[in-house]
Amino acid sequence: MRASQLASAAASGLASGGPPERTKADSKPDTQLLPTSLVAIVGSAGGSSSLLKALESLHVLDIEQTAFVVQLHQPLGQWDQRLLHEIEAAVAPYNKAHRTKQLTVQEVPLLHTLIAPGVMYVCEPGFVIMTTQLGEIKRVRSETANSAGLNTLFSELSTVQSYALVVNLIGVVLSGMAGN
């Protein structure tokens, strides 16, 4: 039953261009549709090159039940969706090696959306990531996003884990300035 529910959720998510959105009428999440692992990747301004280098090895992993959340500390004026396209290109070898288990790259949504396995959510500068105890994610504009965004992300994702909605929560901190 679980496999068919995941296939149905994946199909509906792909058909609509993303994972299914939840409504306020939904009182508790269907944890069978949530990822078993959630990887939070945060980084400094130079972290984007480190992120792209790390993603080169992604194709050797079995990450079917994993969701990723990426938030890099970047100047506000530099967001032009270029990073989103670079990440999509970096996960292409994974998608080629695992044709039945595609990893989708998308911006963190503005509205509460159920965190879905097989999705890499990328947050643009000037926003912080918020989650709910129902396993939903969204982005919210914040004046302190670059200084507080990384701490906020780890705190928010620990809430998802504390409600036992994901089994594994993995934090990755990247840097990349001065040739690191």
Side-chain angles (χ1 to χ4, degrees), residues 83-178:
L83 179 62
L84 204 60
H85 298 301
E86 289 174 348
I87 291 172
E88 288 173 338
V91 302
Y94 174 85
N95 288 339
K96 185 175 181 181
H98 301 274
R99 293 187 190 277
T100 60
K101 307 175 216 172
Q102 298 294 292
L103 182 60
T104 305
V105 178
Q106 67 181 50
E107 281 189 72
V108 175
L110 288 168
L111 301 174
H112 282 135
T113 302
L114 189 65
I115 298 170
V119 178
M120 182 175 290
Y121 300 96
V122 181
C123 190
E124 70 175 282
F127 288 86
V128 293
I129 296 172
M130 306 298 287
T131 61
T132 69
Q133 60 204 30
L134 298 176
E136 301 164 327
I137 189 170
K138 75 172 187 175
R139 63 186 157 124
V140 179
R141 182 156 302 280
S142 172
E143 295 296 322
T144 61
N146 277 342
S147 61
L150 308 182
N151 291 336
T152 301
L153 174 61
F154 283 136
S155 176
E156 289 290 319
L157 295 180
S158 69
T159 300
V160 173
Q161 187 183 32
S162 70
Y163 282 92
L165 299 178
V166 295
V167 177
N168 302 307
L169 180 59
I170 302 161
V172 179
V173 180
L174 302 171
S175 72
M177 294 298 284

